[in-house]
Amino acid sequence: MLRSTSGDLINYCNIILSFSCSVNKKALMSRRLHARRLDGIDKNIWVEFTQLAADYKAVNLGQGFPDFSPPTFIQEAFCKAVSGSCPMHQYTRAFGHPPLVKNLAKFFGRVMDRPVDPLEDILVTVGAYQALFCTFQALVDEGDEVIIIEPFFDCYQPMVKMAGGKAEYVPLRPRADSGQALSSADWVLSPEELASKFNPRTKAIMINTPNNPLGKVYKREELQVIADLCVKHDVICISDEVYEWLTYDGNKHVKIASLPGMWERTVTIGSGGKTFSATGWKVGWAMGSGQIIKHLKTVHQNSVYHCATAAQEAVSVGFEREYDCFGKEESYFLQLPALLHHKRLRLARCLQSVGLQPILPQGGYFMITDVSTLKVDLNDPSTEGELYDYRFVKWLIKEKGLATIPVSAFYSPEHQQDFQNYIRFCFVKEDSTLKSAEDILLQWSKRK
Ligand code: PMP
Ligand code: GLN
């Protein structure tokens, strides 16, 4: 009897619970839950493909991070910071740990040959991501237009949208006279097309050099065209330069902020993670005239407030060291590109050996190649209706155990169709990882 009563009681409770849950669900669903600014931006290429690569234990040439350790000097600096005294474990200055902003200002002041005020002209952020977020939130208003050059690092578009702005796209295209484009240098902007996008609503233009995913390093003359339009139309330039130390074959990175009249209207974005091969530390910065940066600080102080002290301390030690050995053999800013130069050529040779034509990057972490010549039977019904590169990359992960990234993810919906034949490889990997990828590709090409 007792048992049956308690059983009845449990059943009764379950009924009440499920009733109240369904009432709650109804209550939740009867009103709009998410803010409109999130419409259409819930999918994320890194979340999706990083998980897929992990699920299939694929050799990972997808997400852009080194699978080797950062240099010893910076690891030691981090260890020293975390085993240090109390202040290293507590809040530091909201807009950037004082030694870090001092060293960034000293370092980049010399690079640009102009004074950089450590307290006014720099904001330290949680990676370059947060620097970008603060920039868009601070400068873009409802209805403002932001010109984005394609292909672009995917987060620019949702960040413009979340700020209430409207993105206008201009694609880099293989130069008409270049035949088969073999280098990222062959991908260029049409100055006329670019100029046609500027209008009184244009608030900013977003550039990325060296570019992710193409590897293009803009020449001074190309940047000058952009700078002239910015000055003419009173537009801000947001320049994402997270791969600035990684250029190859004598290509030189030029900072658009260093062109005449551009310091006053440029926000330059940097990443300690990319600079010192420690992407998990998430230390980034925005640099520019204090008149602009003060507005980014307003976003930062009311959202994140400040970034991990010990990681900032380590990045500060790294820049201090690099200042002292700048241009010398022991500089990490020379050693890393020298190391990656070989990995880049190794991957390019491997792709060629299996009949693919890579576009050789002038800079950065990545290489793209057209895969439309590979006749693959993409019969996975779960990917039906998706763009070719998405289907191909999923097939490559699931069937061959090799992870890459579809390049159409770096294009606007308007232009995705036109660029769905390319996939992106990251070559900032151990030689053993590159070897595993080579083995997969070679074995597959032999079987075809
Ligand atoms: N910009 C570009 C072009 C990137 O590739 C990335 C990814 N590292 C970021 C910004 C974000 O950098 P962080 O990891 O420092 O947030
Ligand atoms: N920037 C990295 C890339 O392009 C990834 C960033 C991320 O994982 N969110 O691969």
Side-chain angles (χ1 to χ4, degrees), residues 329-348:
E329 224 174 276
E330 61 269 33
S331 165
Y332 190 63
F333 296 171
L334 292 182
Q335 286 172 352
L336 183 61
L339 175 76
L340 298 188
H341 167 74
H342 294 293
K343 294 182 185 293
R344 179 186 68 128
L345 293 184
R346 178 177 183 163
L347 178 63

Side-chain angles (χ1 to χ4, degrees), residues 44 46 50 62-65 129 153 212 243 274 366 410 424:
N44 180 284
W46 312 113
T50 303
Q63 197 183 24
F65 66 93
Y129 260 107
F153 183 49
N212 176 6
Y243 303 106
K274 293 286 144 79
F366 311 106
F410 301 86
R424 188 196 83 171

Side-chain angles (χ1 to χ4, degrees), residues 132 135-136 139-140 145-150 156 160 168-170 189 194-195 197-198 201-208 218 222-223 225-231 234-240 256 262 265-267:
L132 288 161
T135 307
F136 289 120
L139 306 177
V140 175
E145 291 183 8
V146 178
I147 299 171
I148 299 181
I149 299 175
E150 296 173 300
Y156 304 158
V160 169
E168 286 290 329
Y169 303 97
V170 189
L189 285 172
L194 179 64
K197 298 287 173 183
F198 284 76
R201 291 180 301 279
T202 311
K203 184 67 184 286
I205 180 168
M206 180 75 230
I207 68 170
N208 173 213
Y218 287 70
E222 293 176 301
L223 293 175
V225 171
I226 297 171
D228 289 346
L229 286 164
C230 287
V231 172
D234 193 17
V235 160
I236 287 162
C237 179
I238 307 166
S239 186
D240 181 338
I256 196 167
M262 286 307 285
R265 57 177 67 256
T266 302
V267 179

Side-chain angles (χ1 to χ4, degrees), residues 3 119 151 209 213 342 387:
R3 196 180 276 166
L119 301 182
T209 181
H342 294 293
L387 290 169

Side-chain angles (χ1 to χ4, degrees), residues 17-31:
L17 260 177
S18 68
F19 175 73
S20 73
C21 281
S22 82
V23 167
N24 270 342
K25 261 192 206 148
K26 276 206 185 106
L28 277 177
M29 287 162 79
S30 67
R31 66 182 297 170

Side-chain angles (χ1 to χ4, degrees), residues 135-352:
T135 307
F136 289 120
Q137 286 294 317
L139 306 177
V140 175
D141 241 329
E142 222 36 63
D144 284 346
E145 291 183 8
V146 178
I147 299 171
I148 299 181
I149 299 175
E150 296 173 300
F152 61 90
F153 183 49
D154 66 302
C155 73
Y156 304 158
Q157 183 271 336
M159 286 196 192
V160 169
K161 180 179 161 53
M162 284 189 280
K166 181 170 178 291
E168 286 290 329
Y169 303 97
V170 189
L172 288 159
R173 290 199 178 85
R175 208 197 302 267
D177 60 4
S178 65
Q180 203 182 6
L182 299 180
S183 156
S184 59
D186 296 328
W187 288 56
V188 291
L189 285 172
S190 148
E192 296 74 32
E193 190 180 9
L194 179 64
S196 75
K197 298 287 173 183
F198 284 76
N199 68 59
R201 291 180 301 279
T202 311
K203 184 67 184 286
I205 180 168
M206 180 75 230
I207 68 170
N208 173 213
T209 181
N211 171 272
N212 176 6
L214 179 60
K216 182 182 174 66
V217 176
Y218 287 70
K219 294 190 178 57
R220 182 176 294 273
E221 308 85 78
E222 293 176 301
L223 293 175
Q224 192 62 60
V225 171
I226 297 171
D228 289 346
L229 286 164
C230 287
V231 172
K232 180 172 171 197
H233 295 275
D234 193 17
V235 160
I236 287 162
C237 179
I238 307 166
S239 186
D240 181 338
E241 302 181 8
V242 300
Y243 303 106
E244 64 186 310
W245 303 110
L246 304 179
T247 59
Y248 316 113
D249 300 335
N251 287 289
K252 291 260 174 301
H253 171 70
V254 178
K255 295 182 104 55
I256 196 167
S258 67
L259 300 186
M262 286 307 285
W263 169 257
E264 293 71 23
R265 57 177 67 256
T266 302
V267 179
T268 303
I269 310 281
S271 165
K274 293 286 144 79
T275 302
F276 293 113
S277 304
T279 58
W281 292 9
K282 296 299 290 187
V283 175
W285 55 88
M287 191 177 295
S289 153
Q291 288 308 309
I292 304 179
I293 299 297
K294 70 178 182 192
H295 300 298
L296 279 61
K297 289 178 176 173
T298 304
V299 179
H300 182 76
Q301 77 196 4
N302 292 306
S303 49
V304 168
Y305 190 72
H306 97 132
C307 314
T309 307
Q312 291 193 67
E313 172 71 15
V315 173
S316 166
V317 171
F319 270 100
E320 194 166 29
R321 175 192 186 273
E322 290 300 312
Y323 184 90
D324 292 337
C325 66
F326 194 64
K328 295 190 192 139
E329 224 174 276
E330 61 269 33
S331 165
Y332 190 63
F333 296 171
L334 292 182
Q335 286 172 352
L336 183 61
L339 175 76
L340 298 188
H341 167 74
H342 294 293
K343 294 182 185 293
R344 179 186 68 128
L345 293 184
R346 178 177 183 163
L347 178 63
R349 273 195 299 270
C350 165
L351 295 179
Q352 278 160 345

